[in-house]
Amino acid sequence: MADITTVDLVQITFWFLAGCISFYFSIGNARVWTSISLGFFLIFLSQLYVVEKALDMPWTAYTQLEAIHYIIGTISIMVMTHGFQEYYIFSRTLEIGGTKTAVYLTVLGVVAASVVFVFINPEPQYTVLRNISVIENATWVFLSLVNLDMVRKIYAQIRDSVIAKGFIGFGIVFIAIFLWKGAELYLQVYNWDADWKLIMQNLGGVVPDLYSGRRDFSLLVHDYAGLLSGVSVGGTFIYLLKLLR
């Protein structure tokens, strides 16, 4: 059975809370929230793999599943970014196009196409999984900065509305996510992550124990920023739910 830390458990509990509220949010509220809420719900699905591995679920033996979790994580931040861009346009023009159904079907189609892509290609080995994880983390780091700018612009447009403080909450969420994913990406770029160590052990190599201070600090930032991202997103959605129900 894989290890699961207290930080993992607390983080996943809050992502689950945020995922449930955001999914309910996308059903019961205005079209303009659909992509944002759906993106946050997909994050929970991508994080769910940590629990599945900890519970030693039989399907976790298939590396295709791990690849799909990473890809869903990448899709989630892209959908969310699209949602914040839509909200910014709505805050300036009070116009929004499309339907909720179109958003659901488009996201479902992208996820289904990704699943097909994974299964028609060779079974991903650990090096391939690590490459997919690097792409996910790099996408999150870049789009977190884009979303921080979007949230700032939206707040400037709606600062007098009752939900304006909710966007301050989203700002805290994206700062935490930037640090969480950025720390993991930093470790991967310099081959200081646990996956690289495992790959080298399987190849009979040894990872030199250098720069342990920087590696330990990055792990600390990764764990606590991940925890803060879960708590802050859960708190933000609870706050918005109370305002918009």
Side-chain angles (χ1 to χ4, degrees), residues 10 27 32 54 59 65 89 102 110 115 133 140 154 159 198 236:
V10 174
I27 296 172
V32 71
W59 52 82
L65 183 66
I89 294 171
V110 172
V115 172
S133 175
W140 271 93
I154 293 169
R159 65 174 66 205
L198 183 63
T236 300

Side-chain angles (χ1 to χ4, degrees), residues 131-146:
N131 290 340
I132 298 173
S133 175
V134 169
I135 292 171
E136 181 200 12
N137 287 328
T139 306
W140 271 93
V141 169
F142 174 70
L143 292 183
S144 290
L145 294 176
V146 172

Side-chain angles (χ1 to χ4, degrees), residues 28-225:
N29 288 282
R31 154 71 186 91
V32 71
W33 283 100
T34 308
S35 297
I36 296 173
S37 300
L38 203 52
F40 278 105
F41 180 71
L42 289 175
I43 296 176
F44 165 67
L45 292 183
S46 69
Q47 291 300 107
L48 192 61
Y49 189 70
V50 177
V51 177
E52 293 170 356
K53 286 186 75 172
L55 296 176
D56 207 15
M57 296 292 188
W59 52 82
T60 55
Y62 298 96
T63 56
Q64 290 96 336
L65 183 66
E66 186 169 352
I68 290 168
H69 274 277
Y70 290 143
I71 292 172
I72 288 177
T74 306
I75 293 171
S76 68
I77 186 67
M78 296 172 74
V79 173
M80 202 186 307
T81 303
H82 173 69
F84 278 110
Q85 288 174 339
E86 280 193 317
Y87 201 105
Y88 175 58
I89 294 171
F90 175 76
S91 69
R92 292 177 62 88
T93 65
L94 298 181
E95 293 181 358
I96 188 75
T99 64
K100 288 183 180 182
T101 303
V103 176
Y104 292 141
L105 291 178
T106 301
V107 173
L108 187 62
V110 172
V111 171
S114 301
V115 172
V116 171
F117 175 82
V118 169
F119 278 94
I120 64 174
N121 279 293
E123 181 179 349
Q125 303 300 310
Y126 289 117
T127 51
V128 175
L129 289 174
R130 186 171 178 274
N131 290 340
I132 298 173
S133 175
V134 169
I135 292 171
E136 181 200 12
N137 287 328
T139 306
W140 271 93
V141 169
F142 174 70
L143 292 183
S144 290
L145 294 176
V146 172
N147 283 330
L148 267 175
D149 187 48
M150 283 290 110
V151 167
R152 179 187 64 80
K153 289 177 177 176
I154 293 169
Y155 178 78
Q157 289 292 322
I158 65 167
R159 65 174 66 205
D160 295 327
S161 76
V162 291
I163 64 169
K165 290 181 180 176
F167 282 88
I168 295 177
F170 281 131
I172 295 171
V173 169
F174 284 114
I175 290 172
I177 287 176
F178 172 77
L179 293 173
W180 172 38
K181 294 291 188 179
E184 186 172 347
L185 182 63
Y186 175 71
L187 291 167
Q188 290 173 322
V189 166
Y190 285 95
N191 295 333
W192 293 337
D193 57 307
D195 288 339
W196 180 256
K197 187 175 181 180
L198 183 63
I199 291 168
M200 290 301 291
Q201 285 176 345
N202 289 337
L203 293 174
V206 177
V207 179
D209 191 20
L210 301 174
Y211 305 105
S212 59
R214 298 182 193 188
R215 187 182 60 231
D216 293 344
F217 178 73
S218 299
L219 286 171
L220 196 68
V221 171
H222 172 265
D223 288 346
Y224 284 98

